Amino acid sequence: MHLCVEDWKWWWKAFFASGSVAFYVFLYSINYLVFDLRSLSGPVSATLYLGYSLIMALAIMLSTGAIGFLLSFYFVHYLFSSVKID
């Protein structure tokens, strides 16, 4: 659909659509902090946990976003390489 309307920013949508998994991972880490990690001894430990969880979520976003973008790019390249221009 984005290609039909000549949306030249399709690659950002492909990156963030596949990278949005990291948002759910970060929400789950907050859920795990609130309901399962009762042994943390203060706000410093919780801040460190959330900081490292955010770094992990950003790494997940970069890796899954890059994979989603590359697969979308190769699919679009394959799709348009088979179209013959008269």
Side-chain angles (χ1 to χ4, degrees):
M1 184 173 81
H2 293 289
L3 297 175
C4 290
V5 295
E6 297 179 6
D7 185 11
W8 56 275
K9 294 181 182 179
W10 66 267
W11 47 78
W12 289 112
K13 292 181 178 93
F15 180 82
F16 287 121
S18 58
S20 65
V21 172
F23 179 70
Y24 297 109
V25 169
F26 187 68
L27 285 180
Y28 183 76
S29 69
I30 292 173
N31 182 30
Y32 187 73
L33 173 68
V34 171
F35 294 112
D36 292 334
L37 286 179
R38 300 186 192 279
S39 64
L40 289 180
S41 60
V44 175
S45 298
T47 304
L48 279 172
Y49 173 76
L50 287 176
Y52 283 120
S53 296
L54 182 64
I55 291 171
M56 183 182 67
L58 288 174
I60 290 171
M61 185 180 104
L62 287 176
S63 62
T64 58
I67 291 169
F69 165 72
L70 289 173
L71 289 176
S72 298
F73 182 77
Y74 289 135
F75 174 72
V76 169
H77 185 275
Y78 175 75
L79 186 71
F80 283 114
S81 67
S82 65
V83 174
K84 297 199 188 258
I85 300 174
D86 293 334

